Amino acid sequence: HQKELTMTKKRRNGGKDRKNRGHVRPVRCDNCGRCVPKDKAVKRYLVRIMVDAAARQDIEQASVYDKYQIPKLYLKLNYCISCAIHAHLVRVRSAQDRRNREPPRRAVAKRN
């Protein structure tokens, strides 16, 4: 009898997050425009103040309100794997480290 050959598998989930779904709608990479399945895309949520620090101080001084809250910019960014690796959002991991499925520790910002 013949031994059954199977291809080696690099990742347990095949690099995608869809389980029991044949197709997932694509999204566009915000960096290069590549069409990526939504579950495969690297997603980052960016909250940024609309103006820089120098202009913010000028606005606060010129404002008639005591505590004027400058609006924030909320962005949901989608990256393809290539751009995410290039921008150091994710890292290439060794075969042994790929088995580690727990999320990486978050970097805590220091406050003065």
Side-chain angles (χ1 to χ4, degrees):
H1 65 73
Q2 200 174 16
K3 186 178 176 184
E4 191 175 320
L5 297 173
T6 56
M7 287 184 65
T8 56
K9 203 168 179 187
K10 194 170 187 181
R11 284 175 190 82
R12 181 175 158 180
N13 61 2
K16 299 182 190 78
D17 193 28
R18 62 168 168 75
K19 301 290 183 204
N20 297 326
R21 263 178 248 126
H23 186 262
V24 180
R25 75 175 181 84
V27 293
R28 290 292 184 156
C29 173
D30 287 319
N31 192 38
C32 68
R34 174 182 276 171
C35 210
V36 192
K38 187 181 178 204
D39 61 310
K40 187 173 188 172
V42 177
K43 293 168 268 300
R44 293 292 180 264
Y45 194 64
L46 182 73
V47 180
R48 185 182 281 170
I49 299 170
M50 283 192 176
V51 291
D52 61 327
R56 192 169 127 204
Q57 201 170 16
D58 295 340
I59 291 170
E60 286 173 359
Q61 289 172 354
S63 177
V64 294
Y65 300 108
D66 295 337
K67 292 209 172 194
Y68 176 67
Q69 191 73 30
I70 294 171
K72 291 183 179 178
L73 187 68
Y74 298 94
L75 289 172
K76 174 94 183 258
L77 300 172
N78 294 304
Y79 294 99
C80 66
I81 300 298
S82 304
C83 291
I85 291 170
H86 184 72
H88 303 293
L89 298 173
V90 291
R91 294 196 167 154
V92 177
R93 297 189 293 171
S94 67
Q96 191 65 39
D97 288 344
R98 262 185 247 134
R99 293 178 181 213
N100 179 9
R101 292 177 59 83
E102 64 184 45
R105 288 188 287 121
R106 287 187 165 197
V108 179
K110 293 182 181 177
R111 291 196 170 202
N112 294 345

